[in-house]
């Protein structure tokens, strides 16, 4: 809480960490920093936030359509350890405290944004209905910036639109992307 209290008079942006727990080549983090440098105050910063969404991580959490378990005990332990490691690395390498919350991101993130004096939030773009509904809820109360980072080749770098003309085989795909690959 002390860390967030220090940010009261600063202009900050939130970096909502969803699935990509990397630092050095994280495109969402890079976009947040670029935005802050362009539009933010020099006194502000990027506030990393991770939310343990119990709809995804609770022992009894099930998939929406097929009712499969979302997180086994081993997966939950791995996630806890990975988030703890990221928090330590952010503190050691950059002197930044990561905010960790438990709850629904659409409830937790606006609260963190208010405490941190942030109106913009950056996160990776998701494609599933449940995640998109969370993004829509957040976009209704904050300026949400989503960044595509889920493929080896960025969507905008493809010489075709996958929804219109995705090559049916890998060989045809590789030939189509050529030097981008």
């Amino acid at each position: 809480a002390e860390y967030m209290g220090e940010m009261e008079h600063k202009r900050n942006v939130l970096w909502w960490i969803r699935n990509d727990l990397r630092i050095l080549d994280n495109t969402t983090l890079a976009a947040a920093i670029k935005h802050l440098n362009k539009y933010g105050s020099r006194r502000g910063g990027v506030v990393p936030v991770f939310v343990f969404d119990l709809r995804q991580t609770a022992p009894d959490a099930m998939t929406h359509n097929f009712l499969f378990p979302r997180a086994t005990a081993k997966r939950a332990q791995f996630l806890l350890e990975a988030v703890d490691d990221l928090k330590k690395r952010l503190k050691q390498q950059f002197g930044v405290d990561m905010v960790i919350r438990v709850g629904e991101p659409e409830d937790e993130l606006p609260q963190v944004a208010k405490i941190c004096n942030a109106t913009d939030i950056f996160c990776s773009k998701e494609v599933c209905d449940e995640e998109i509904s969370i993004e829509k809820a957040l976009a209704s109360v904050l300026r949400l910036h989503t960044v595509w980072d889920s493929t080896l080749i960025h969507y905008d770098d493809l010489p075709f639109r996958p929804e219109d003309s995705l090559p049916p085989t890998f060989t045809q795909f590789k030939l189509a992307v050529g030097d981008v690959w």
Side-chain angles (χ1 to χ4, degrees):
E2 292 175 12
Y3 173 70
M4 289 188 282
E6 294 171 5
M7 294 184 278
E8 199 170 300
H9 301 291
K10 298 178 180 179
R11 183 81 170 165
N12 299 289
V13 298
L14 298 185
W15 167 36
W16 174 26
I17 304 161
R18 295 174 99 169
N19 296 312
D20 187 354
L21 302 180
R22 297 171 299 151
I23 298 173
L24 298 180
D25 62 345
N26 190 300
T27 54
T28 305
L29 174 58
I33 293 169
K34 183 177 179 180
H35 176 85
L36 186 68
N37 288 338
K38 185 173 184 180
Y39 299 108
S41 164
R42 292 194 183 275
R43 296 178 298 149
V46 175
V47 180
V49 183
F50 188 90
V51 180
F52 285 99
D53 186 342
L54 295 179
R55 295 170 296 193
Q56 303 288 329
T57 59
D60 60 347
M62 306 297 270
T63 59
H64 182 66
N65 290 329
F66 300 107
L67 301 178
F68 293 123
R70 287 192 184 270
T72 64
K74 287 183 180 183
R75 183 174 188 272
Q77 183 64 34
F78 175 80
L79 182 60
L80 283 169
E81 291 172 7
V83 170
D84 182 58
D85 180 66
L86 176 61
K87 182 176 178 66
K88 289 175 183 173
R89 285 186 294 128
L90 285 167
K91 186 66 172 175
Q92 289 171 351
Q93 294 176 14
F94 304 101
V96 175
D97 288 314
M98 181 170 70
V99 178
I100 299 176
R101 293 285 186 102
V102 176
E104 296 183 358
E106 59 270 37
D107 296 330
E108 298 296 326
L109 292 166
Q111 292 174 19
V112 173
K114 184 175 181 180
I115 292 167
C116 295
N117 191 28
T119 56
D120 293 90
I121 180 168
F122 285 78
C123 66
S124 59
K125 176 72 180 148
E126 298 293 333
V127 295
C128 296
D129 291 341
E130 294 171 51
E131 289 83 357
I132 291 171
S133 69
I134 294 169
E135 291 174 6
K136 287 179 181 176
L138 285 170
S140 71
V141 294
L142 295 167
R143 286 192 296 257
L144 180 68
H145 307 266
T146 59
V147 178
W148 184 258
D149 68 354
S150 297
T151 55
L152 291 175
I153 300 174
H154 193 279
Y155 182 88
D156 293 336
D157 294 334
L158 293 172
F160 51 82
R161 298 282 51 102
E163 60 275 12
D164 298 329
S165 61
L166 183 65
T169 66
F170 176 74
T171 301
Q172 290 171 330
F173 174 84
K174 188 172 185 225
L175 291 172
V177 296
D179 293 336
V180 175
W181 182 263

